Amino acid sequence: MKTFAKITAALALAAAMSSAFAATPVTKDGVTTIHLTEYNGYFAAKETLTDLKPGDYDFVVTNKAGKFVGFNVQDQKTHELLGGFGLNDNETKTVRVKVSADGFRYRCPINVTPWYDVDMSK
């Protein structure tokens, strides 16, 4: 197995294991907040990204990659850009988006990360 594939598999396993201990997202005044930390090549979520409902979301993203990075969130089905921004090292920014029943996907287009696809619950 190539080194990159091993690292990717290890990161995926770590993300899956951490989601078992992730917090439940908080919804206040109709807006659900998701905290993401971007590292060099992957994102870690503070909250579980399962059983989410369509609605308004605040994505609070912190850059821990050690370099300038970005954040894009799209509609999972249409790939319409819902929001995004660039982040300096150790910077935190928030974007509010409306997520439909299509779900969403996110990634960093600068610090190349895989797409993270998130389905909505019915």
Side-chain angles (χ1 to χ4, degrees):
M1 186 180 273
K2 295 181 181 179
T3 303
F4 180 75
K6 287 181 184 179
I7 291 170
T8 302
L11 290 173
L13 178 61
M17 290 175 61
S18 68
S19 68
F21 304 106
T24 301
V26 173
T27 301
K28 183 176 179 184
D29 298 327
V31 179
T32 303
T33 301
I34 302 293
H35 294 87
L36 300 171
T37 303
E38 185 171 353
Y39 295 98
N40 198 12
Y42 70 98
F43 284 90
K46 177 180 174 186
E47 296 86 7
T48 182
L49 300 180
T50 59
D51 203 30
L52 299 175
K53 307 281 189 236
D56 293 325
Y57 282 81
D58 276 348
F59 288 90
V60 181
V61 184
T62 301
N63 175 5
K64 295 293 182 185
K67 58 186 176 183
F68 184 78
V69 298
F71 176 75
N72 281 348
V73 60
Q74 295 180 345
D75 180 283
Q76 188 178 0
K77 185 175 181 181
T78 67
H79 299 173
E80 172 190 354
L81 181 65
L82 302 176
F85 44 73
L87 285 160
N88 291 310
D89 190 30
N90 290 312
E91 185 176 24
T92 299
K93 287 187 179 179
T94 302
V95 63
R96 181 168 292 174
V97 301
K98 182 170 286 300
V99 176
S100 74
D102 291 343
F104 63 90
R105 67 186 200 156
Y106 63 92
R107 74 168 184 155
C108 173
I110 299 167
N111 177 28
V112 182
T113 62
W115 282 107
Y116 292 79
D117 293 335
V118 180
D119 295 322
M120 296 288 108
S121 293
K122 304 289 181 206

